[in-house]
Structures are given as C-alpha cells and as structure tokens.
Amino acid sequence: MGCGRWRAAGFDAGHLKAQSKLSVFFTMMLLCTYLFYCLAGYCDTLPQPVRDQQRHFVGKILLGVGQGAQTRRRSASPSAAPVDCDDDADSVSQRVDNQLPPESNISVSNSFGGKKFPQAIIIGVKKGGTRALLEFLRIHPDVRAVGAEPHFFDRFYDRGLEWYRNLMPRTLEGQVTMEKTPSYFITKEAPRRVFSMSRQTKLIVVVRDPVTRAVSDYTQTLSKSPGLPSFQDLAFRNASTGLIDTSWSAVRIGIYAKHLENWLRYFPLSRFLFVSGERLVTDPAGEMGRVQDFLGLKRVVTDKHFYFNQTKGFPCLKKPEGSSRPRCLGKSKGRPHPQIPSEVLQRLRDFYRPFNLKFYQMTGHNFGWD
C-alpha cells in the first residue's frame, strides 16, 4: 500500500507538473499572439473598451503565471517585451513605411489613416496668393496639407520619394493630401519629376497680374535686404533703352506662358486649375468654390467663412469655434508696396502684354490684366 501511495503521489506530482508546463505554454502562445496583433496595428482598430479588456485579461494571466514562466520572461530577448498599442502605433507604422519601395503609393494605415503621395499640388506662383489658398483649403475637413513648403521637386529630389511621402500628413479614405511649393512652376525639372510620381496629380496655379506680382516679390526681398537696389535698377538692363532684364527672378516668374509650356509637355490642360489671385481677394468664396469642385470635394468653404480685413487689405477667416480671434495671414502678408514710377510700371505692362495674351489663349481664361 505504501508503495502504491508513493507511486500515486508521484503520478499526481508529474501530472500537475505537466499541467503547469502546458498552462505556461498556452499562456506564452496567447501573449505572443497578442503582441503580434499589436505590432501589426490590429489593436488600434479595436474600440477602446475592447482594448482595455484585452490588457486587463492579459494582465491577469501574467499575474497568474508561475515562477517558471517569470524565469523564462527574464531570459527572453528585450525585443519580445510587451508593446502598448496606443504608444507605439506610429513607430510601428513608421517601420513599415520604411520597408515600402519608393515607387509604392500604398498607404500605411493606423487609426489616423495612412500617408500617401499628394493627389493635388499648388505649384505656383510665388506672391500670387498660394498661402492664402492653402489656409482657406485647410478649413475643409477632407483636405490634409503639409504646412511648410517641402521643396521636394526643386531642391530635395535626391532624398527620394519615400522621404517625400513621409512628409505628408495621414489621411483617411476620401480625404485629399496636398502640399504647396510655388517655385515648382518655374523649375524646369519639376514637371517630369511630378509626372514620374503620378501622372494623375492635380495641379493648381495661383496667378496674379505679373506687374503687381513683381512689385510684391521685390517688396518681400527688400524687407529682408534693406540695402537692395531700386526696383527699376533691377528690372531694366538699360534704363535708357527700356530693355527688361528677364534674368531677374521677379520679372522671369511673371512670364506665365513660358513656364506653362514646360508643364504641358507632361500634363494635359485638364489636370490644371488656374486660380485668380485677384478674385481670391475680391471673391474668396467664389474662387474657393471652383477649387473645391476641381478637387472633387463638397463645397464646404463658403462666404460664411470670410470677412474682409480693411487694415491688411485682404480677406481673413472668421473666428473658428474654440478660438479667441479670427485667423489672418501673418505680418509678412499685405506689406505696403514702395512707390514705383508710373513709366516703369507701364514699360513692364507693355513687356508682359504678349505673354499675357498667350497665357489667356493657352488656359482659355482672360484674367483681365490689360
């Protein structure tokens, strides 16, 4: 009997030991499965109460695991440590982003959407009203835009498309990703580079009377370099002959027809929207209606969003909910222009006239600058 009891006790002990190992095995399997789904971003898609229950349940299991399981965890690699889904969702998505080939336009999703190449770009022009347009567009809930100018297609193209895509904000299904860099319009290589990214990209050009635009451009430069020569000294190669210096960027940018020809080698006219910088001031809601239609968006931004700021001389956004004051463009916008002799301005108008007429013909729109 004694031997039988010892054998039975030994059997029970062995059985309990086997059960303990089996329990530890299944616990570790459950933990690994949980970690896998966290790292895959699955837990971000779960409602908050479900995630809380998951953590509570797994926590109870871990507390109930015996000393043997604790020893195993201590000896495990640090890479197997539990990951908090909320804290590391972006870093996990970033690692997946980096594994995609540069030419891929697959979005990497989490609860805040995915990063995509821009479907629309404001490509020009400098001092035409591009900042105002972007700020007006950002009111729309279906527009997500980069705040700063990326300058990818003119300055940083060697960093690669993957670098560019990672600059973009995350978007949900149905939202439009955008950026604006006005210097793209005059950059010779930009059309080919944008086309290589996507031939479906929508292109927005904000244009303004080239004479007024040149003076505004000069005013901005003068604010940064007070010792700058006079406008007329820079605008003319020879003041006596009236020969315009087209190598000066302030003048060269306003030859819109020449720059557009370069873009039309790669994109059809249907991919462009030409926004009037003047109408963006006098009728912002009307011009924004055209922009929203072009982007395939519902007309959310309307006249109820704007008021005219008499001090600045351009429209501002009305006070949004939760804000203490209206939203106007910064101090760098709306600077008073220096006095330019009327004969200098007239010579510039005469210079631009044939280019303007050609631009009207190319775009099918008379902007009324003459």
Side-chain angles (χ1 to χ4, degrees):
M1 288 295 292
C3 291
R5 284 195 297 271
W6 280 108
R7 282 195 298 273
F11 173 80
D12 290 340
H15 183 64
L16 290 172
K17 187 175 181 180
Q19 280 186 325
S20 176
K21 289 182 177 180
L22 191 61
S23 175
V24 170
F25 173 77
F26 279 112
T27 300
M28 297 305 293
M29 286 288 290
L30 180 60
L31 180 61
C32 289
T33 303
Y34 173 75
L35 291 175
F36 171 79
Y37 279 101
C38 277
L39 291 172
Y42 170 78
C43 52
D44 279 338
T45 65
L46 295 176
Q48 186 67 33
V50 177
R51 282 187 275 170
D52 291 342
Q53 290 174 13
Q54 273 191 336
R55 293 193 185 96
H56 179 67
F57 176 66
V58 174
K60 288 180 66 177
I61 292 175
L62 293 176
L63 289 174
V65 174
Q67 184 66 33
Q70 293 176 9
T71 304
R72 292 187 186 195
R73 284 199 302 274
R74 281 196 298 267
S75 63
S77 167
S79 62
V83 177
D84 188 298
C85 296
D86 291 333
D87 291 343
D88 285 348
D90 281 342
S91 61
V92 172
S93 178
Q94 183 70 37
R95 288 197 296 273
V96 177
D97 275 1
N98 293 336
Q99 293 171 8
L100 289 174
E103 65 274 10
S104 174
N105 197 20
I106 300 172
S107 61
V108 182
S109 299
N110 64 6
S111 58
F112 301 101
K115 292 190 175 187
K116 302 176 182 178
F117 292 125
Q119 295 103 312
I121 304 176
I122 301 173
I123 61 172
V125 298
K126 180 184 178 184
K127 306 308 294 180
T130 58
R131 173 54 61 182
L133 176 60
L134 185 67
E135 292 304 312
F136 296 165
L137 272 172
R138 292 174 81 175
I139 301 173
H140 202 294
D142 289 333
V143 171
R144 296 279 289 147
V146 181
E149 296 176 3
H151 282 282
F152 174 67
F153 294 107
D154 58 348
R155 298 181 189 171
F156 303 118
Y157 193 68
D158 59 342
R159 298 190 180 184
L161 284 167
E162 181 62 14
W163 177 85
Y164 180 56
R165 189 170 67 86
N166 281 332
L167 297 179
M168 298 300 123
R170 295 186 180 277
T171 50
L172 301 172
E173 189 67 29
Q175 291 183 320
V176 176
T177 305
M178 291 190 66
E179 71 113 319
K180 79 120 180 153
T181 305
S183 53
Y184 290 162
F185 188 60
I186 64 168
T187 300
K188 185 177 180 180
E189 299 81 12
R192 175 182 55 80
R193 291 171 175 176
V194 175
F195 183 83
S196 297
M197 178 190 71
S198 173
R199 63 186 64 187
Q200 301 303 319
T201 306
K202 294 182 177 182
L203 306 165
I204 300 176
V205 188
V206 188
V207 288
R208 180 184 184 187
D209 182 333
V211 176
T212 310
R213 197 222 65 82
V215 176
S216 180
D217 197 336
Y218 171 78
T219 304
Q220 182 183 55
T221 307
L222 185 64
S223 69
K224 300 175 182 177
S225 306
L228 203 65
S230 68
F231 180 86
Q232 50 267 40
D233 286 345
L234 293 170
F236 298 109
R237 290 183 182 177
N238 188 315
S240 59
T241 62
L243 186 63
I244 302 296
D245 189 355
T246 56
S247 66
W248 185 33
S249 63
V251 169
R252 188 175 69 254
I253 291 172
I255 309 174
Y256 303 140
K258 177 182 177 182
H259 306 306
L260 181 58
E261 282 179 344
N262 190 31
W263 282 89
L264 290 177
R265 293 190 182 98
Y266 294 87
F267 292 93
L269 197 62
S270 60
R271 305 309 299 177
F272 293 85
L273 177 69
F274 300 93
V275 176
S276 167
E278 286 82 11
R279 285 199 65 210
L280 205 56
V281 173
T282 60
D283 182 20
E287 207 67 356
M288 287 303 300
R290 294 180 59 241
V291 176
Q292 291 170 95
D293 291 346
F294 177 69
L295 295 175
L297 299 170
K298 184 179 178 180
R299 287 198 175 192
V300 171
V301 185
T302 62
D303 54 3
K304 69 180 181 181
H305 290 96
F306 302 100
Y307 79 96
F308 191 82
N309 187 306
Q310 296 290 344
T311 303
K312 286 183 172 290
F314 53 74
C316 296
L317 299 173
K318 289 181 179 178
K319 183 177 69 174
E321 290 185 20
S323 176
S324 59
R325 57 184 178 179
R327 288 169 53 192
C328 269
L329 298 179
K331 294 180 180 179
S332 64
K333 307 298 181 182
R335 295 188 188 95
H337 290 179
Q339 289 293 324
I340 309 294
S342 58
E343 60 271 18
V344 172
L345 298 179
Q346 187 57 52
R347 285 184 180 181
L348 270 179
R349 290 190 184 96
D350 294 340
F351 166 78
Y352 280 122
R353 185 170 292 109
F355 297 109
N356 290 344
L357 292 175
K358 185 175 182 181
F359 185 66
Y360 298 166
Q361 186 180 45
M362 294 171 73
T363 61
H365 183 82
N366 186 337
F367 290 91
W369 296 324
D370 296 294

